[in-house]
Amino acid sequence: GYVSIMSPQIVRNSIRIGAITAVLATVYIVVRYARLLLPDLTADVLDALQVLVAAAIGLWGAALAIFGKLQQRYGFAKPLVVELLVALSMFLAVVLGILKSKWHFGKLFGLVDPETAKLNSLSILLYMDALIKVVHTSLPIRWCVLWPVELAVLLSYPALQLFLGRPADEHGNGFTLSFLFCGLICFDVMGKRNLEHYQRTMFTTLINERTLRAKAEFQREGAVGTDRNVFTTGSTRSCQQSSVGTEYL
């Protein structure tokens, strides 16, 4: 069916996404660690923890790539299982993206002072938007399986603003950013749904064409077989009549 046909593409693109994520996380860790070693740069605990979170993201990407490579070579999981596992891995990517936000990570574990700390909301918004775009454009996962991930991404930033609050230097931007972010994700979801509808329509059209072609070939073979039987029967009767006439003479 549709899942079986799309499963190889999910596996191939999972390998690519995981490999690219692992490489980018490695580069980030190297650059970040090099900056932490500079003598004129003051680093705190959160800076070191951000390196660990980046390492976790890199390990997530490596695990996704390894899983895809093993599935591509051995095929140990069914297409539906592959689809579910890849979708579940995106939940982990959402959690890691939240922890990658320095302010939210510190606020969650009580490591920052909301009155003095500063928040760069664009980093977490860009991460979530990039994640949902990669999932929509590169992974042909069915919408009925993918919608929980989309809902988690959609509610991630507004939920953080609601339960963890926002820094003192960000007064009126929280609602505006949340509103724009939700609108952007909704348009992405609509595009994904339209793309899946188009893919399913083309898949149905292809199946119908193959079915009609198989029926036409079957009917043609049946007609040819009938003609051959008629020709053989007629030839046999003619031979029998000729032999009877010869014996009579």
Side-chain angles (χ1 to χ4, degrees):
Y2 179 81
V3 180
S4 300
I5 292 179
M6 291 300 176
S7 181
Q9 185 177 354
I10 294 176
V11 173
R12 288 194 304 268
N13 290 342
S14 296
I15 296 173
R16 297 167 184 171
I17 293 172
I20 293 174
T21 303
V23 171
L24 292 178
T26 303
V27 173
Y28 176 85
I29 291 171
V30 171
V31 175
R32 191 76 175 180
Y33 186 74
R35 290 187 59 190
L36 293 178
L37 295 179
L38 295 177
D40 57 343
L41 183 64
T42 58
D44 53 9
V45 179
L46 283 177
D47 292 322
L49 291 176
Q50 289 300 294
V51 175
L52 294 179
V53 174
I57 295 176
L59 291 176
W60 170 84
L64 184 63
I66 292 173
F67 167 76
K69 198 65 179 178
L70 293 176
Q71 174 64 22
Q72 193 177 51
R73 175 167 297 185
Y74 300 106
F76 56 89
K78 295 182 179 180
L80 182 60
V81 177
V82 172
E83 187 182 43
L84 291 176
L85 290 177
V86 174
L88 287 175
S89 69
M90 297 304 154
F91 273 109
L92 181 58
V94 173
V95 176
L96 292 175
I98 294 174
L99 296 178
K100 188 64 187 66
S101 174
K102 183 178 179 180
W103 190 89
H104 291 106
F105 185 89
K107 184 68 167 55
L108 187 63
F109 294 97
L111 300 176
V112 298
D113 184 7
E115 299 298 330
T116 59
K118 294 183 179 181
L119 169 65
N120 184 10
S121 299
L122 295 180
S123 60
I124 186 172
L125 293 176
L126 182 61
Y127 176 92
M128 293 298 176
D129 183 58
L131 175 64
I132 202 67
K133 277 185 168 54
V134 167
V135 173
H136 283 167
T137 58
S138 301
L139 298 175
I141 301 175
R142 292 174 300 165
W143 186 78
C144 61
V145 178
L146 193 61
W147 71 265
V149 180
E150 297 171 340
L151 184 62
V153 173
L154 179 66
L155 298 179
S156 59
Y157 186 74
L160 291 175
Q161 294 285 317
L162 179 63
F163 294 105
L164 296 181
R166 54 181 183 266
D169 62 334
E170 190 182 72
H171 296 288
N173 295 330
F175 175 77
T176 303
L177 291 176
S178 299
F179 181 77
L180 294 176
F181 177 72
C182 292
L184 183 62
I185 298 301
C186 289
F187 285 123
D188 286 338
V189 172
M190 183 177 63
K192 167 63 178 178
R193 191 75 180 106
N194 292 335
L195 177 61
E196 182 181 348
H197 182 268
Y198 172 77
Q199 291 175 341
R200 286 181 176 272
T201 302
M202 296 301 296
F203 176 75
T204 304
T205 303
L206 179 62
I207 294 299
N208 291 335
E209 289 180 356
R210 290 184 176 180
T211 303
L212 293 176
R213 184 180 301 175
K215 288 182 179 179
E217 291 179 355
F218 178 76
Q219 293 175 356
R220 185 180 63 182
E221 291 293 333
V224 171
T226 304
D227 294 340
R228 289 177 180 176
N229 293 333
V230 172
F231 176 78
T232 304
T233 304
S235 300
T236 304
R237 289 179 179 178
S238 298
C239 292
Q240 290 176 353
Q241 292 176 359
S242 299
S243 59
V244 171
T246 303
E247 291 177 359
Y248 178 78
L249 293 174

